[in-house]
Structure formats: structure tokens, C-alpha cells
């Protein structure tokens, strides 16, 4: 909740910076008594909001080259602003792909066919390890938020500490992070070695991924949107009615000073100056520091000097060499990387670029305009004849020092008549910049906001809450990690060490025998010395460990060889005992957890025709009722789907169980109510329990129950007849699934079983329950 300042103390206000932050502040102050002026160094307003024209023959279209997409949950203030101004938005598709070393390794997250677009990856242990680590990271990274890890913990340190594979790091997490935060080009890494993406604060990265539902292996993802007529539309709407004589374009503010009466004087590059009652610095953090540095207090300097930016080049073109080689991997966001080591080997990313497929993101027809692409920091220059624009943008550079400085910003806000605002004050995205502009305008100057301002920093709460499904999935992950990953890793390590020693002995030669000639012994000695040099160069850490062990043994007065052999046997016995106990405990845990785990997977993914739980308040995966409401909007231009009903009972249950209707026809997103009738034909009271499934199987992830009688005990008295309602809907996301094309009929089947109880009176479900 914002504390709005008194707006009736009329002031002359300067806004420095015409990006989304400055636009938001100006829009708020334009509805107040204040006299506002806006300074912008370039020849246009908007900053990253830059919509340009793309031409193909006689056809022209508008393309966003900076700010492109936003989502329905983490952009609350920006979306409310668009609704207030009547700016039309349309859904868009967000998919992600990675292409390494000119297509040597590629994958995409838009489906199984895209995931294994290179069929050889079906047999790649690195690929499967990456997929396992993705699921593992999505579950266990939340512990960083729950444990309140300090900002000093970098994502690289976290990955090393938890033992994630280099395949996961280099082929998934780092490319995605570089794409989301705008890539850091190689020359920046060379200039600032500490600013490598691996040194990104872990807490910031993980909280962002969690807020955007990017840590959901099977759950719902965000609904992404784009502005139908280009993002510049909202700038025009915000500036409507504002006097243009107060918009100072091509005017660079260099410094500011305070007058004796406390007012602020702005100095521009051309030598002019102007006095204001208040100044909002809506620039990047390092630019704000450059403006105030000469007059800044020590506290202001200690905070603002921690913020930096990187310069990134965006190119509008149609050169498909900056897309994945496999057409199956083409996605909305396409991350291309090169490696520091030999191509295809395990190595960190040296260079990263991202190509945005505007045909997908902005629904630009490819058959009319061809390929419309925007590449950020291209690995090579696109063909000149395909380029239609080149633009430079600056993005915040995040370090642990910057995160700590963010937490101290409030202590220097609204002091000396200065307010600081920008995307750099939070995660660095459009909502962050826009919201910070609204906030300082309202809290420091009493600007008007015609809706409730919301802080999206913790839009999903301060800390995640794990449910039963999360704990079951974590148990499965731990079992796989202990029983498969660790054991296989140990075997591979043992085999590799054995192979190395065999190579060393082969290099020494078979000539080393007591009866060998002097020349043969000399040759063998030289070969063995060469092998030792090779081993020490290849494995320096093991060499140092062995030397330290021998030195310790000599100090203790024991024979080095005997101590080394004793240590080997002790370590081998400990490893054997550890893995034996792990296998025994894992087998017991897996046997107890296999059935509920199978049920959980089925209910989460729809595998085997098992319908998923409904999104929204009734779901364990969400606590926001508005999520359900957003899905219960019928898609009126879609074709109705025929839902039929069937039923059955087990052989030992003397019930009659039938649907009251044969079928209903519903639109995606439209709720429907159906009834089943159950009659107890016996002369005894009986308790039954129902399970259900959906056919065809690919419809199961989209069939969501809101209320039903499934998985609950139903007691029917002798001869009693009851009606059992089922309240359900078909998720609108099915319209985006290519596997749902041609599906016109969905069948919902319920089966009743007789409830069973164990010796302690506890309920036992039917087989597979």
C-alpha cells in the first residue's frame, strides 16, 4: 500500500529519463497540480519501448525491438495502466531453445519432438542428466528462498555446492538466464571478470524464476501477452494531452546541484541550467550516480556506486543463420552459444546471443513478411541485405553488491529533493521500471494512480510452501540421485581411474623386469617418468593429494605405501557400506512411495488419462482464486467439444451406477455440470469410492474438475439412491496443443469400488489408488 504525499503543495518537477519509468511518473503527475517537465537525451521517448517499421516488398508491419512481452501475474501495475488507457493486448507464445556451437547440440522446450530434435540425444547420458537436473533444480532451488540465503551466494556457487551437472548449467540454466536478463557479451566478461553470469546472485535468479512459474516441472505456466499494435502504443496513450513544450528531447542532463534554499538545479550538456523543486532521476543506476556524484553525500555514494549496466546491440533482420539449425527447435526465444573449449565438450559459455522470433511473438505472418527476427548481441553479423535496423540498449548488471545496495535505497530517497527510480531498483524488467516511476510520483509528490498499486517483488509470497506432491516428488528425486546418479558416477570414476593407470603401465612398457638388460630398464624408466609427468599435468589435484598423504605419513613415522593402502581400503569400505545402506533404504522407500507417486504423476501430467486437478483455489498447487477465474472464460470463437459419460462398478460392489446424461457440448473455458446416479441394490449399508479417467489420453491434462465425488468415501444405505454431481471445465490451453487438433469428443469414465479397511480401521483404496 502506497502512502500518497500531499499533492496540493504545487511544485515544479523535472523527470530525467524518458523510458518506461519516466513515462509512468509523468503519467501520474499529469493528473496532479504539479508542473512536470521531462528530459530525454535521445530524439524519442520510450527507451526500450521502441517499435519500428519492417518492410517486405510492398508490405509493412510494426516490430518491437526492445520491450516485447509481459505476463498476466508479475506485471500488475503495467496491465492495470493498459486497461485504464484502453490499450489492446493479445496472447503470445513463449517457448525457449538452445543451440550450441553452430548446431552441434540443440534442443527446445516446446514438446518432445523439439526436445529431441536431434534424435541422437535420445541415447545421450548428458541429455538425460540435464533433464533430471532440470526437475531437481525446479524442486530444490526453492530451498534458497526458504532458507533466506544471503545475496553473496552466487548461482555458480550454488550449482557447485549442490552438484549440478555442467550439461544442466551450460545447456539450460545459464542460456535461459542470459536470455531473460539480456545477454552479457564476451567483451564485458573480459572487462569485468566478476560479472560473468555464474556470479549472478542466486536468490535474485531463483526468486524471479519462481515468481514467473518457471520452476514448475509439470504445473501451469504464465500467460504471456504482447501489445497488439506495438509497444509504442502505450507511450502515445500516456503522453496524450501532455504539452510538448515541456518535453525536452536531445537534452542530456550532466549534473545537478542544490541551491541555498534546497531547490535543485539541473545542468545540461549544452551549458543551460534550470531550477526545480523536485527531480526524479528515472535513468539507469550508474547514470543517476554520474549526475549526482559531484554533490552526493557519502551515503549516496556508498549506495549508488554499486550499480552498473551493460550495452547490448539489437539487430532487426531476417537472416536465419542466427536461428537453430533444426527447424523443429525454432522457438520464441532462441539462445545461441559458443563454448570456451572444444566444440561439443563440457565447457562454459563463452558467447551468448538471443534471437527473438517475431513471427511467433507478434503474430507476424511468415508467408507475407518472411522471417522477422530480432537478435541481441549476434554471434556474427547478419547478412547486410537482411538487416533493417540496429539499436543499442543498456541493461542493469546484477552483482551481490548491487542487491545489497537495493536494500538501502529507501534511506536516500526523497532527500535533497531527489527521487531515484528505474528497473534497476528491482529485477530489471519493464514492470519494475514502470512501477518504480508510479511509486515515487505518488509517495514523494502525491501523483494520482487510478488503481491500486501492487508490489510484484513478492507476488507469490515471501517463501514457497511445499505441499504433499512436492515432498513426494522430492523423495523420488533423492532416490534417483542416490540409486542411479551417484552409483553410476562412482562406477564411471572408478573405471576412468583404472583406465588411466592401465595407460600409465602400458607407457612404462613390459621391459621392466629384474632380468631385463640395462638398456631396456633405462627405456622403461624414461617411459614411466613421462607417464608420471602426464598424470601430474592431467590430474594436478590428485597429485597434490597423494604428495600430502605421503608427507603426512613420513611425519608420522609410518611407511607411505602402507598408510596409502590402509586409507584406500578404509575409503572403499566406507563407500561400500554407504551405497549398500542407501540401496536398502531406497528400495524400502520406493516400494512404499511408488503407488502414491504414480498417482501424483498421473494427476499432475494427465498420464494414462488421469485428469489433472483444477487450477485455482481448489488446487493444491495454487492459492490464488483469481487464477481459476482467469481460466473460466469461455473461448467463444472456438469449436464446442463433445463430452460423453460412461460408468462401471467392480464385480464385488452390488451397486447400480449410471450417468444421467449421455453427453454435453462445451467451449474451452466453459464450466459444465453433469450428474451420475448410484443405487445400493443390497440389503446392507455399503461404502464405495470412485476413480475416474479421460479418453483420449492427450485430453487429460486439460480436463480439470472443480468439484466431484471422486476419491472420497460414499456411504449408501440399503436400497438408497443418490445423485452425484461433477463440476468440470476444459482448460483453454488445449487450443495451443498440436496434439489436440482433430479431437472433437472427450469421454469421462467413473468406476466405483467397494471400500476396504485394514485391521486398524484405516481406509484402504482400490488397487492403484
Amino acid at each position: 500500500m502506497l502512502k500518497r504525499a500531499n499533492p496540493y503543495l504545487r511544485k515544479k518537477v523535472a523527470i530525467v529519463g524518458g523510458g518506461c519509468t519516466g513515462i509512468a511518473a509523468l503519467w501520474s503527475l499529469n493528473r496532479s497540480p504539479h508542473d512536470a517537465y521531462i528530459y530525454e537525451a535521445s530524439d524519442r521517448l520510450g527507451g526500450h519501448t521502441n517499435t519500428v517499421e519492417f518492410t517486405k516488398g510492398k508490405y509493412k508491419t510494426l516490430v518491437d525491438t526492445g520491450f516485447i512481452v509481459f505476463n498476466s501475474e508479475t506485471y500488475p501495475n503495467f496491465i492495470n495502466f493498459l486497461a485504464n488507457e484502453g490499450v489492446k493486448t493479445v496472447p503470445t507464445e513463449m517457448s525457449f531453445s538452445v543451440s550450441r556451437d553452430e548446431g552441434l547440440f540443440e534442443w527446445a522446450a516446446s514438446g518432445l519432438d523439439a526436445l529431441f530434435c536431434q534424435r541422437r540425444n535420445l541415447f545421450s547420458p548428458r541429455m538425460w542428466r540435464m533433464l533430471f537436473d532440470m526437475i531437481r533444480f525446479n524442486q530444490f532451488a526453492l530451498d534458497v528462498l526458504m532458507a533466506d540465503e544471503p545475496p553473496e551466494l552466487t548461482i555458480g556457487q550454488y550449482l557447485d555446492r549442490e552438484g549440478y551437472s555442467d550439461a544442466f548449467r551450460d545447456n539450460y540454466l545459464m542460456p535461459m538466464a542470459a536470455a531473460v536478463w539480456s545477454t552479457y557479451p564476451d567483451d564485458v566478461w573480459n572487462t569485468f571478470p566478476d560479472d560473468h553470469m555464474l556470479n549472478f546472485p542466486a536468490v535474485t535468479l531463483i526468486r524471479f524464476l519462481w515468481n514467473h512459474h518457471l520452476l514448475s516441472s509439470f504445473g501451469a505456466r504464465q500467460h504471456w501477452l504482447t501489445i497488439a499494435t506495438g509497444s509504442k502504443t502505450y507511450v502515445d496513450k500516456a503522453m496524450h494531452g501532455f504539452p510538448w513544450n515541456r518535453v525536452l528531447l536531445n537534452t542530456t542532463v550532466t549534473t545537478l546541484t542544490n541551491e541555498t534554499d534546497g531547490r535543485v538545479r539541473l545542468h545540461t550538456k549544452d551549458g543551460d541550467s534550470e531550477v526545480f523543486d523536485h527531480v526524479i532521476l528515472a535513468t539507469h543506476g550508474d547514470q543517476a550516480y554520474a549526475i549526482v556524484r559531484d554533490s552526493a553525500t557519502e551515503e549516496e555514494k556508498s549506495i549508488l556506486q554499486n550499480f552498473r549496466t551493460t550495452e547490448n546491440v539489437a539487430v532487426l533482420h531476417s537472416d536465419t543463420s542466427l536461428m537453430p539449425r533444426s527447424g523443429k527447435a525454432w522457438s520464441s526465444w532462441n539462445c545461441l552459444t559458443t563454448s570456451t573449449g572444444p566444440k561439443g565438450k563440457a565447457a562454459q559459455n563463452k558467447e551468448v546471443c538471443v534471437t527473438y522470433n517475431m513471427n511467433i511473438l507478434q503474430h507476424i505472418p511468415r508467408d507475407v513478411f518472411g522471417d522477422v527476427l530480432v537478435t541481441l548481441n549476434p554471434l556474427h553479423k547478419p547478412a547486410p541485405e537482411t538487416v533493417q535496423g540496429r539499436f543499442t540498449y543498456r541493461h542493469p548488471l546484477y552483482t551481490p553488491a548491487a542487491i545489497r545496495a537495493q536494500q538501502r535505497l529507501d534511506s536516500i530517497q526523497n532527500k535533497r529533493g531527489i527521487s531515484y527510480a528505474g528497473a534497476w531498483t528491482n529485477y530489471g524488467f519493464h514492470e519494475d521500471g514502470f512501477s518504480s516511476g508510479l511509486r515515487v510520483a505518488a509517495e514523494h509528490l502525491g501523483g494520482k494512480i487510478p488503481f491500486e498499486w501492487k508490489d510484484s517483488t513478492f507476488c507469490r509470497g515471501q517463501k514457497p510452501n511445499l505441499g504433499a506432491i512436492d515432498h513426494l516428488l522430492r523423495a523420488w528425486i533423492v532416490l534417483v540421485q542416490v540409486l542411479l546418479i551417484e552409483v553410476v558416477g562412482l562406477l564411471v570414476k572408478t573405471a576412468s581411474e583404472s583406465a588411466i593407470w592401465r595407460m600409465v603401465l602400458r607407457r612404462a612398457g613390459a621391459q621392466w623386469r629384474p632380468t631385463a638388460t640395462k638398456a631396456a630398464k633405462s627405456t622403461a624408466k624414461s617411459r614411466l617418468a613421462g607417464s608420471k609427468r602426464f598424470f601430474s599435468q592431467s590430474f594436478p589435484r590428485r597429485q597434490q593429494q597423494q604428495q600430502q598423504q605421503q608427507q603426512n605419513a613420513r611425519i608420522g613415522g609410518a611407511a607411505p605405501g602402507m598408510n596409502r593402502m590402509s586409507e584406500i581400503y578404509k575409503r572403499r569400505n566406507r563407500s561400500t557400506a554407504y551405497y549398500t545402506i542407501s540401496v536398502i533404504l531406497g528400495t524400502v522407500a520406493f516400494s512404499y512411495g511408488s503407488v502414491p507417486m504414480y498417482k501424483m504423476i498421473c494427476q499432475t501430467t494427465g498420464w494414462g488419462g488421469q485428469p489433472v486437478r483444477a487450477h485455482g483455489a481448489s488446487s493444491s498447487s495454487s492459492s490464488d482464486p483469481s487464477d481459476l477465474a482467469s481460466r473460466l472464460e469461455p473461448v467463444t470463437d472456438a469449436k464446442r467439444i463433445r463430452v460423453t459419460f460412461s460408468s462401471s462398478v467392480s464385480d464385488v460392489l452390488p451397486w447400480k451406477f449410471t450417468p444421467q446424461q449421455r453427453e454435453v457440448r462445451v467451449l474451452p473455458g466453459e464450466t459444465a455440470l453433469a450428474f451420475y446416479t448410484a443405487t445400493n441394490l443390497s440389503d446392507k449399508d455399503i461404502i464405495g469410492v470412485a476413480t475416474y479417467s479421460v479418453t483420449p489420453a492427450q485430453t487429460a491434462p486439460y480436463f480439470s474438475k472443480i468439484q466431484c465425488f471422486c476419491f472420497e468415501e460414499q456411504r449408501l444405505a440399503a436400497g438408497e439412491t443418490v445423485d452425484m454431481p461433477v463440476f468440470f471445465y476444459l482448460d483453454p490451453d488445449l487450443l495451443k496443443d498440436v496434439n489436440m487438433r482433430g479431437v472433437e469428443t472427450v469421454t469421462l469414465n467413473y468406476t466405483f469400488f467397494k471400500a476396504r479397511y485394514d485391521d486398524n480401521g484405516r481406509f484402504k483404496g482400490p488397487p492403484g489408488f
Side-chain angles (χ1 to χ4, degrees), residues 13 47 95 128 131 244 347 351 372 425 453 475 493 510-511 596 608 616 688 734:
V13 181
S95 52
W128 288 105
L131 296 177
W244 280 95
E351 295 177 295
V372 183
T425 63
W453 186 91
K493 179 181 178 182
Q511 294 89 344
L734 64 86

Side-chain angles (χ1 to χ4, degrees), residues 612-615 617-619 628 632 669-672 692 703-710 725-730 750:
V612 297
R613 292 187 175 91
H615 307 281
S618 64
S619 172
L628 178 59
L632 300 184
E670 181 181 16
T671 58
Y692 65 147
F703 187 97
S704 296
K705 67 178 179 66
I706 299 175
Q707 290 181 350
C708 81
F709 51 86
C710 53
V726 182
F727 195 31
F728 67 92
Y729 72 98
L730 294 174
Y750 278 90

